[in-house]
Amino acid sequence: MYNFSAANTGHDSGIGVPRPELPPGKTVMIVDDQVTIRRIVASYFSHQACSHPVEQAFDGATALMSLRINIERIGLVVSDWEMSPVTGLQFLRLLRADKDERFRNMSFLMLADRLTEPQIRLAMTAGVDALLAKEGSALANDQPVPPLQFLQRRV
């Protein structure tokens, strides 16, 4: 159905999760309305995976405001799908439609409680770079994160 690949996603972190290739000093922005998930993902990216600084936001609107101020520092956005008032999908669409090319080209990993076929299509159409289902994954249990499903970067 969909061609998922980890071939162009960087190095393996040792637990089966490709490590993002971020330039030194770049920050990972984590956007999730659940503080526990933000902490788990922040721990993974700041300690286990790549030792990059982490910035957190509780929804897409807050993240967008922060990105506008800190665009030079941010190298990757990791966002939950279901948030309000701006969902992860809406946030992604806003980035991809922005006049600033840095927003349009920002690496974006989407977290979702479950991934259905229609959600995968929506995310791909919106320009997501990677998807990770939280349901049934070790992410919710503070265990090593299962392999990510990386999509081919859109052209």
Side-chain angles (χ1 to χ4, degrees):
M1 282 234 228
Y2 294 101
N3 183 18
F4 291 162
S5 171
N8 61 354
T9 58
H11 307 291
D12 192 321
S13 66
I15 59 171
V17 180
R19 194 176 352 188
E21 297 255 349
L22 296 176
K26 284 291 188 177
T27 298
V28 177
M29 176 177 277
I30 300 164
V31 188
D32 198 304
D33 54 354
Q34 296 180 22
V35 68
T36 303
I37 297 295
R38 285 197 316 264
R39 285 182 184 158
I40 292 168
V41 176
S43 174
Y44 175 76
F45 279 100
S46 64
H47 302 294
Q48 297 178 28
C50 30
S51 298
H52 282 278
V54 171
E55 184 172 316
Q56 298 181 34
F58 59 89
D59 67 24
T62 305
L64 190 58
M65 287 188 305
S66 182
L67 265 176
R68 292 212 184 278
I69 296 167
N70 301 308
I71 188 66
E72 295 299 327
R73 285 195 350 239
I74 308 296
L76 170 68
V77 173
V78 179
S79 177
D80 185 32
W81 189 299
E82 296 179 28
M83 301 176 291
S84 66
V86 177
T87 69
L89 186 63
Q90 291 168 330
F91 175 42
L92 173 60
R93 287 177 174 157
L94 288 169
L95 289 182
R96 296 304 187 231
D98 199 276
K99 63 182 178 183
D100 189 329
E101 187 175 321
R102 296 171 298 178
F103 282 27
R104 292 193 312 266
N105 294 322
M106 177 71 59
S107 295
F108 199 103
L109 185 155
M110 182 81 73
L111 302 173
D113 289 335
R114 317 170 199 66
L115 287 173
T116 64
E117 196 73 23
Q119 282 180 308
I120 293 170
R121 281 194 296 266
L122 281 171
M124 288 179 67
T125 301
V128 74
D129 294 301
L131 295 165
L132 175 62
K134 293 190 278 186
E135 179 179 280
S137 76
L139 180 65
N141 299 319
D142 201 17
Q143 298 295 315
V145 181
L148 302 176
Q149 296 298 307
F150 276 83
L151 303 169
Q152 292 292 334
R153 179 85 174 174
R154 68 203 174 285
V155 180

